[in-house]
Amino acid sequence: MTPKPVPAENPDRDHVWVRAEIGWQIAFWSILVGAVIVLAGSDVTGPRRWLGFAAIAALGLGYAVLRPDASANSARRDHSYLAIVIVCCGLAVAAEPNLSLLLFIAYSHVNMFASSRQQALTFAVALTVSCVIGFLSASGWSTDEFWVIVPTMGASLIFTVLLGAWTSRIIDQSRERAELIEQLETTRSELGEAHHAQGVMAERERMAREIHDTLAQGFTSIIMLAQAARAEIEAQSADVLPASDCRPAIDRLDSIEVVARENLGEARALVTAFSPFALEGATLTDAIRRLAQRFGVETGVAIDVEVSAPSGDLVGLSRDREVVILRTAQEALNNVRRHARARLVTVRLATQGTQASVEIEDDGIGFAPQTPAGFGLTGMRDRARDAGGELDVTSTPGTGTRVSLRLPISEGHPGPAADSGPAADSGAAVDSVLVDQVPS
């Protein structure tokens, strides 16, 4: 037997019976009208005639009340309707055997509205028994009629069972194909998004390499040339020109150097934003320690790195979250370098439960809470939010600043190491631009 499909999300699309609802409605009411015509033209009179009309009317009323919408899935209503079908068909053939034409739609409805194959078989057997009793009642319970009716109805039952099984198999195959198509469409969409993200990352890395190889190197050369020219003018001015005559040229060279340094900083910021730090061959903790060491060498500020993790490193983080932590540490240390006037900086890395955190604290001059956030702080907050984390900045004038980032640890293992090739080269380029000390 064919159970009525009960789709989980979109019955109007998946329900095979709903797609042909109008056809089944027309077939039902056409057969019902045909049954009325057959009964009206028959020789049946008296109570049997009225019994036949009553059975037809009850069947039509039950269908109209209990099955007004084939897409409505209600086992109680379906089973109540099938019970009416069984009773009404038995009474109809008892009144007039030619009303057996109702079985064309009755057996179909059994397949349509039963909740399972077992229930469909049960309702089909009950319908067959009801009609056998009706036929025997109409024939006066004749033994000869019994041996004619039972094999005929048995064949009808077997045909219904086989037809229902075949229809059920077709429905199952169609549903499996629909699910497979949906999975393929989902996979294709995910692959498209992955390829798009990969293309965006590749373009960012290309831009990072271009900026590093052109703008950053060019600004560095301008700074070095300006410094060399100033040193040469200062060395020759004592012997050739008075100091007052050389001062305007030296001031212009100082201005050139200042502008070049500012633009070099912008180029470094762009490279940092576009390309991930080269983490291959080193852990996140190693990269933070290396960053802190270089910060101390460049600024002369004492810096300490503390790690509170069971394994001595922040394990379990995806590559994206490792980059967020590293970028936050870089930007926070850059702010300390530019604004804090600190004597001591402490970087704390920790894992607790399902969270990882990094905290950068300095003993500098701090700032007022109402001070508008700069681009760097806004960028750190955006990165934290995009990674599902939180960034807190605590500071008051004269007491230093503390930047705290908390991120959820990714499920599964850490992300794969970066591939060698252009991506790795761009990471090395970032390392070089971030660390190389321009002569001052």
Side-chain angles (χ1 to χ4, degrees), residues 238-317:
D239 300 330
V240 180
L241 297 173
S244 59
D245 293 340
C246 297
R247 191 73 259 168
I250 293 176
D251 290 342
R252 289 187 180 92
L253 289 173
D254 289 341
S255 298
I256 291 173
E257 182 179 349
V258 169
V259 173
R261 283 185 180 276
E262 291 177 354
N263 283 273
L264 177 60
E266 294 293 337
R268 286 175 171 174
L270 288 174
V271 172
T272 300
F274 283 157
S275 180
F277 195 89
L279 287 170
E280 57 272 12
T283 64
L284 175 61
T285 303
D286 292 336
I288 294 289
R289 291 187 188 278
R290 185 173 58 184
L291 178 67
Q293 181 182 7
R294 291 169 179 171
F295 173 85
V297 171
E298 294 174 1
T299 62
V301 177
I303 184 167
D304 185 29
V305 178
E306 300 175 359
V307 181
S308 299
S311 62
D313 191 21
L314 304 185
V315 297
L317 286 165

Side-chain angles (χ1 to χ4, degrees), residues 340 361-367 394-402:
E361 184 175 9
D362 67 75
D363 62 352
I365 61 175
F367 61 89
T394 305
S395 181
T396 53
T399 62
T401 303
R402 183 173 65 250

Side-chain angles (χ1 to χ4, degrees), residues 129-153:
V129 172
S130 176
C131 290
V132 167
I133 293 174
F135 282 125
L136 291 177
S137 175
S139 66
W141 302 96
S142 169
T143 303
D144 294 337
E145 290 294 330
F146 175 83
W147 293 111
V148 173
I149 294 170
V150 170
T152 303
M153 292 303 300

Side-chain angles (χ1 to χ4, degrees), residues 228-240:
R230 182 177 58 187
E232 185 175 351
I233 291 174
E234 290 175 346
Q236 296 178 359
S237 63
D239 300 330
V240 180

Side-chain angles (χ1 to χ4, degrees), residues 328 358 360 376-385 389-393 403-406:
T328 300
V358 59
I360 302 92
L377 186 57
T378 302
M380 284 193 289
R381 285 202 172 102
D382 290 342
R383 284 181 182 272
R385 183 180 64 252
E390 296 178 346
L391 182 79
D392 295 328
V393 180
V403 177
S404 300
L405 170 67
R406 294 180 299 278

Side-chain angles (χ1 to χ4, degrees), residues 116-195:
S116 65
R117 296 185 183 184
Q118 291 75 13
Q119 289 185 1
L121 178 60
T122 300
F123 281 116
V125 171
L127 177 61
T128 302
V129 172
S130 176
C131 290
V132 167
I133 293 174
F135 282 125
L136 291 177
S137 175
S139 66
W141 302 96
S142 169
T143 303
D144 294 337
E145 290 294 330
F146 175 83
W147 293 111
V148 173
I149 294 170
V150 170
T152 303
M153 292 303 300
S156 299
L157 176 62
I158 293 173
F159 176 78
T160 300
V161 170
L162 295 178
L163 180 62
W166 177 77
T167 305
S168 177
R169 180 57 182 164
I170 295 299
I171 293 173
D172 291 341
Q173 289 179 347
S174 299
R175 187 180 297 113
E176 290 172 359
R177 292 192 185 98
E179 292 174 354
L180 179 59
I181 292 172
E182 185 175 357
Q183 291 174 2
L184 290 175
E185 290 176 349
T186 301
T187 302
R188 184 172 62 181
S189 176
E190 292 175 351
L191 287 175
E193 292 176 359
H195 290 160

Side-chain angles (χ1 to χ4, degrees), residues 327-340:
R327 291 290 182 255
T328 300
Q330 288 174 335
E331 184 60 34
L333 291 177
N334 185 49
N335 288 339
V336 173
R337 181 201 306 262
R338 296 171 59 189
H339 308 296

